[in-house]
Amino acid sequence: MSIRENLLRLTGRIERAAEGAGRDPKSIQLVVVTKTVGVEQIREAIDCGVKLLGENRVHEALEKQAEIGRASVEWHMVGHLQSRKAKQAAEAFDMIQSVESISTAEALDKRCGVLGRSMPILIEVNTSGEEQKYGVSLEGAESFIRRVARMRPLRVEGLMTMAAFVADPEEARASFRRLRELANELATKNIEGASFRVLSMGMSNDFEVAIEEGATMIRIGTAIFAE
Ligand SMILES: *Cc1c(COP(=O)(O)O)cnc(C)c1O
């Protein structure tokens, strides 16, 4: 299948999942995850109307940006970000979806201050309890967000999670539901500098379940580039 066909098919699946859940398909943004994908294929996706790209390595994103540029698409960091890479990330990305350590947040804060830019961020939450997964714990999320929300250049816009890798997407539902419930709860607390409008959850194998549970951003790679 071509990238165009895969994107068409994906759009149909997103619409059906949204409509089945009584949601407006336009309320769900597609982040096309292009890690390991070559520039030609990324250009093809952009030609099909893709507006948001997700990368998981700063260096790889910078190399691709040198060829593709920044004007026609937004670049989101979706992978683990070490504090020593935060300075470059502050320049390379339009949103950081994977903030989960104070040292990384501080490094981003400092660099964005120097650059005189604000940075939309999401807080990565470990909703599966799996030790190998990154993210702040459900219990620790509020105090973490209160600290990060005080860092002025950083704008907390919501939460991100990765569910456990499971064969049956139904098994990811509980993770997605926990993220939505956490966002709802945090939204009642009126934390200055933080809003919880964005829920980034769902990948190729489980995005329909994520949409049913309220995802406003889904992050898809394989279903576009590897099928
Ligand atoms: C690779 C990746 C995705 C996309 O996963 P697919 O299964 O290829 O759709 C989404 N989010 C993150 C953080 C990723 O690293």
Side-chain angles (χ1 to χ4, degrees):
M1 288 272 215
S2 70
I3 289 170
R4 183 174 295 274
E5 284 169 321
N6 284 341
L7 278 166
L8 270 175
R9 199 169 45 160
L10 178 63
T11 307
R13 286 174 65 189
I14 294 169
E15 283 170 3
R16 277 193 298 281
E19 278 155 14
R23 300 185 55 202
D24 180 356
K26 291 196 194 68
S27 67
I28 298 146
Q29 290 185 294
L30 171 63
V31 178
V32 172
V33 179
T34 49
K35 62 177 187 228
T36 74
V37 173
V39 165
E40 281 318 307
Q41 286 179 291
I42 299 174
R43 284 212 175 97
E44 205 175 323
I46 293 171
D47 286 343
C48 296
V50 163
K51 295 278 177 256
L52 304 178
L53 303 181
E55 285 283 339
N56 70 345
R57 288 165 186 272
V58 181
H59 184 70
E60 188 176 333
L62 284 170
E63 281 185 349
K64 291 172 180 174
Q65 287 174 359
E67 296 190 55
I68 294 169
R70 301 284 299 267
S72 55
V73 275
E74 275 188 30
W75 296 78
H76 289 203
M77 175 61 173
V78 300
H80 180 58
L81 181 60
Q82 294 168 302
S83 54
R84 64 189 177 83
K85 296 278 173 66
K87 191 170 163 179
Q88 276 183 304
E91 300 181 24
F93 292 102
D94 300 293
M95 177 183 254
I96 313 267
Q97 296 206 3
S98 46
V99 175
E100 52 111 52
S101 90
I102 289 294
S103 59
T104 297
E106 283 173 344
L108 285 171
D109 175 41
K110 194 169 154 198
R111 190 63 190 165
C112 288
V114 170
L115 296 169
R117 68 166 294 186
S118 69
M119 176 66 83
I121 63 168
L122 303 179
I123 306 302
E124 183 169 358
V125 181
N126 181 341
T127 51
S128 69
E130 288 185 320
E131 275 178 29
Q132 67 272 32
K133 285 270 188 307
Y134 290 109
V136 298
S137 67
L138 289 161
E139 304 73 35
E142 181 177 346
S143 64
F144 180 83
I145 289 167
R146 285 186 185 280
R147 286 180 71 183
V148 172
R150 278 189 229 113
M151 302 176 191
R152 286 288 109 192
L154 307 187
R155 285 203 324 267
V156 179
E157 296 199 340
L159 307 178
M160 181 271 230
T161 199
M162 285 181 82
F165 294 110
V166 286
D168 179 3
E170 274 305 318
E171 289 178 45
R173 188 180 294 280
S175 272
F176 300 145
R177 188 167 295 173
R178 282 185 205 111
L179 197 74
R180 169 169 47 87
E181 288 171 353
L182 177 64
N184 289 347
E185 187 194 323
L186 291 169
T188 65
K189 308 214 169 183
N190 296 316
I191 302 173
E192 207 185 317
S195 71
F196 298 93
R197 285 174 291 108
V198 179
L199 285 180
S200 175
M201 56 189 197
M203 316 196 327
S204 291
N205 64 337
D206 57 17
F207 70 88
E208 280 139 327
V209 173
I211 288 172
E212 287 165 17
E213 293 301 329
T216 68
M217 251 182 212
I218 57 174
R219 309 180 307 268
I220 310 288
T222 309
I224 298 168
F225 298 109
E227 279 180 13

